[in-house]
Amino acid sequence: GPTRKMPLTASAMDFFQLFVPDNVLKNMVVQTNMYAKKYQERFGSDDAWIDVTLTEMKAFLGYMISTSIHHCESVLSIWSSGFYSNKSIALIMTQSRFEKILKYFHIVAFRSSQTTHSLYKIQPFLDSLQNGFDSAFKPSQAQVLHEPLIDEDPVFIATCTERELRKRKKRKFSLWVRQCSSTGFICQIYVHLKEGSGADGLDALKNKPQLHSMVAKSLCQNASGKNYIIFTGPSITSLNLFEEFEKQGIYCCGLLSTRKSDCTGLPPSMLNNSATPQSRGQYRIRMKGNMSLICWYNKGHFRFLTNAYSPVQQGVIIKRKSGEIPCPLAVEAFAAHLSYICKYDDKYSKYFISHKPNKTWQQVFWFAISIAINNAYILYKMSEAYHVTRYSRAQFGERLVKELLGLEDTSPTH
């Protein structure tokens, strides 16, 4: 749970600033102004540009975040006269001023000579965000590694023509997270660029088990020695990785797929489906040390690799129609934790900022801001402030937008 106690009067902004404090926003102001100056020195002066201030930067973020609540495809819709127009917040800043800030917006204006990382324009922000996640929250023992659902707004996709869909650029990165499965709090983010050479580029993408193993190691680099139980999907599950994690005091439970997983070192007899018909709930087990390979049947064969649960401990999967189906405890635990993550995706994925910039670092930035707001809301729900105001996720987002735009007084009430 949370590592610090927030006051009863804590606002949405207070929770958001646990992850994006004023010093980070001030750095955005400095870097944006530096980039604007450099850009004009190179391409000619811009008489309409005035250096951005901290108040304007907060308003700029507020406008962007508002697209996560109202799901307008373009943030500029706020100033239009159409369905997504919002006169109450449009008066804070003119559209032309917003577009100027958007044009010059930067987190790192200059590339240093030592920088080789492709995400150098956003890495300081991601590092600061990670520090905020680590210091504000202590996760439960059970955690999940997965790719959160950050797909396009389904309503927009349904109304898109095929030509419009083809024109939209595909994302050049994948975003992976380590997530506390009992609260949904995202503990760590890992961004993998799909372009470029080297260990984390396209060459690695061709060898998917190797890539996903690298992603898992990066996400768990701060988890060693804490006896965490990590749940993984088929793309990450592998005997070599689980054995390596066990040496670091990290225990695992993963779904195994003969098609997607790295099955090196696993007995072939357990990977082949038996010819004789089986009844639901039947399972076979093979063990090596602490590691168990479970083949469980329920209208199909499901295989699990784990060193976190004893294979002889019994559990049940409860189905509405067929009642209880017996299974090893590892299978029950896996189903429970993954169903929670599905609920998280259903509840929170629709609150990702819907602004779609062309630059990859900006896409990553807005996804990271969206995750920070979701984490802020989770901390808010676990605080005493929630019992005073009881905002829904949408109401929390609206309050944050108003506070960033200066429309709400965030000072404590007496």
Side-chain angles (χ1 to χ4, degrees):
T3 57
R4 68 189 81 176
K5 190 176 180 181
M6 298 293 279
L8 288 169
T9 53
S11 63
M13 186 74 164
D14 292 331
F15 286 96
F16 176 65
Q17 293 218 296
L18 290 173
F19 311 124
V20 189
D22 267 354
N23 65 324
V24 172
L25 297 174
K26 285 173 183 172
N27 179 62
M28 291 179 194
V29 170
V30 171
Q31 296 294 328
T32 299
N33 289 332
M34 282 169 63
Y35 180 78
K37 186 180 178 184
K38 181 181 81 168
Y39 185 93
Q40 289 174 49
E41 283 172 0
R42 187 173 178 185
F43 298 107
S45 62
D46 184 349
D47 296 334
W49 173 253
I50 305 164
D51 277 1
V52 70
T53 63
L54 179 61
T55 304
E56 284 182 314
M57 186 57 73
K58 286 182 178 179
F60 172 75
L61 290 180
Y63 283 125
M64 286 298 195
I65 292 166
S66 72
T67 67
S68 68
I69 306 154
H70 304 293
H71 304 293
C72 48
E73 182 54 23
S74 170
V75 66
L76 302 180
S77 304
I78 292 166
W79 291 274
S80 71
S81 54
F83 180 76
Y84 290 112
S85 65
N86 192 333
K87 296 288 184 283
S88 62
I89 66 173
L91 299 173
I92 302 298
M93 185 185 287
T94 64
Q95 181 180 337
S96 59
R97 179 59 177 164
F98 175 86
E99 288 185 271
K100 283 291 177 195
I101 298 172
L102 181 61
K103 178 181 177 180
Y104 296 123
F105 175 67
H106 264 72
I107 295 161
V108 175
F110 302 102
R111 184 172 193 153
S112 67
S113 55
Q114 298 88 14
T115 305
T116 55
H117 199 282
S118 305
L119 285 171
Y120 78 94
K121 286 197 172 185
I122 195 177
Q123 198 59 52
F125 175 76
L126 294 178
D127 293 341
S128 166
L129 202 61
Q130 188 59 56
N131 290 335
F133 291 169
D134 292 340
S135 61
F137 185 81
K138 190 176 180 182
S140 64
Q141 186 185 27
Q143 294 165 40
V144 181
L145 304 186
H146 73 121
E147 287 183 276
L149 193 67
I150 51 175
D151 288 331
E152 304 280 9
D153 178 28
V155 177
F156 172 75
I157 290 298
T159 58
C160 245
T161 64
E162 203 173 316
R163 186 165 173 268
E164 283 174 326
L165 280 174
R166 277 202 308 270
K167 276 173 68 182
R168 293 177 72 75
K169 291 184 178 178
K170 287 186 178 178
R171 281 201 307 271
K172 294 177 182 176
F173 65 93
S174 56
L175 188 119
W176 294 76
V177 299
R178 176 164 57 86
Q179 189 167 14
C180 169
S181 61
S182 60
T183 59
F185 189 95
I186 287 176
C187 310
Q188 195 162 351
I189 299 171
Y190 178 80
V191 180
H192 168 72
L193 290 177
K194 294 178 182 176
E195 287 189 340
S197 57
D200 61 344
L202 244 155
D203 298 335
L205 195 65
K206 291 169 188 169
N207 187 345
K208 287 211 169 176
Q210 188 185 338
L211 165 69
H212 293 144
S213 172
M214 182 193 72
V215 168
K217 288 173 190 174
S218 297
L219 284 171
C220 295
Q221 60 190 359
N222 300 328
S224 58
K226 297 179 181 175
N227 287 327
Y228 288 152
I229 297 174
I230 304 291
F231 292 87
T232 63
S235 60
I236 290 177
T237 303
S238 82
L239 180 63
N240 291 336
L241 180 68
F242 283 14
E243 286 178 338
E244 194 174 325
F245 275 169
E246 190 175 357
K247 290 172 188 170
Q248 299 172 28
I250 302 168
Y251 300 91
C252 304
C253 180
L255 182 63
L256 195 71
S257 161
T258 51
R259 193 166 52 87
K260 292 182 180 176
S261 306
D262 177 8
C263 297
T264 308
L266 298 174
S269 60
M270 291 291 285
L271 303 176
N272 299 323
N273 297 337
S274 59
T276 54
Q278 290 182 288
S279 56
R280 295 177 76 178
Q282 279 192 322
Y283 57 90
R284 295 179 291 146
I285 299 166
R286 286 285 295 271
M287 290 185 71
K288 180 188 174 186
N290 292 332
M291 200 71 67
S292 308
L293 176 56
I294 302 165
C295 183
W296 178 68
Y297 185 82
N298 177 24
K299 289 187 176 178
H301 292 273
F302 294 89
R303 293 172 180 83
F304 297 87
L305 190 65
T306 182
N307 56 2
Y309 296 92
S310 165
V312 295
Q313 280 188 285
Q314 291 294 309
V316 287
I317 300 284
I318 299 171
K319 298 282 185 182
R320 273 183 299 187
K321 290 182 180 177
S322 50
E324 293 185 352
I325 303 165
C327 66
L329 184 62
V331 178
E332 181 190 338
F334 185 90
H337 290 293
L338 248 70
S339 70
Y340 192 96
I341 295 306
C342 290
K343 286 176 188 171
Y344 173 91
D345 280 345
D346 290 344
K347 183 173 183 179
Y348 292 106
S349 65
K350 60 185 175 200
Y351 294 110
F352 278 82
I353 292 167
S354 56
H355 172 68
K356 301 291 185 294
N358 287 329
K359 292 183 175 70
T360 299
W361 73 265
Q362 289 187 8
Q363 292 173 19
V364 174
F365 175 77
W366 297 119
F367 281 133
I369 287 283
S370 302
I371 288 171
I373 299 167
N374 286 340
N375 276 355
Y377 180 69
I378 289 166
L379 290 189
Y380 159 72
K381 281 197 79 173
M382 297 172 77
S383 73
E384 292 178 2
Y386 177 69
H387 300 292
V388 177
T389 48
R390 289 192 172 272
Y391 293 135
S392 67
R393 173 63 183 84
Q395 289 170 326
F396 182 85
E398 285 174 356
R399 297 288 300 184
L400 177 60
V401 168
K402 287 181 177 177
E403 287 164 22
L404 282 166
L405 290 165
L407 294 169
E408 294 284 343
D409 181 18
T410 55
S411 59
T413 51
H414 298 287

Coordinates of all heavy atoms in Angstrom, one line a residue, residues 77 137 224:
S77 N -10.0 20.0 -30.5 CA -11.5 20.0 -30.5 C -12.0 20.9 -29.4 O -13.2 21.3 -29.4 CB -12.0 18.6 -30.4 OG -11.5 17.8 -31.4
F137 N 4.8 3.9 -3.1 CA 4.0 2.7 -2.9 C 4.8 1.4 -2.7 O 5.9 1.3 -3.3 CB 3.2 2.5 -4.2 CG 2.2 1.3 -4.2 CD1 1.0 1.5 -3.6 CD2 2.5 0.1 -4.8 CE1 0.0 0.4 -3.6 CE2 1.6 -1.0 -4.7 CZ 0.4 -0.8 -4.1
S224 N 14.8 -8.1 -6.8 CA 15.6 -9.3 -6.2 C 15.6 -9.3 -4.7 O 15.7 -8.2 -4.1 CB 17.0 -9.3 -6.8 OG 17.6 -8.1 -6.5

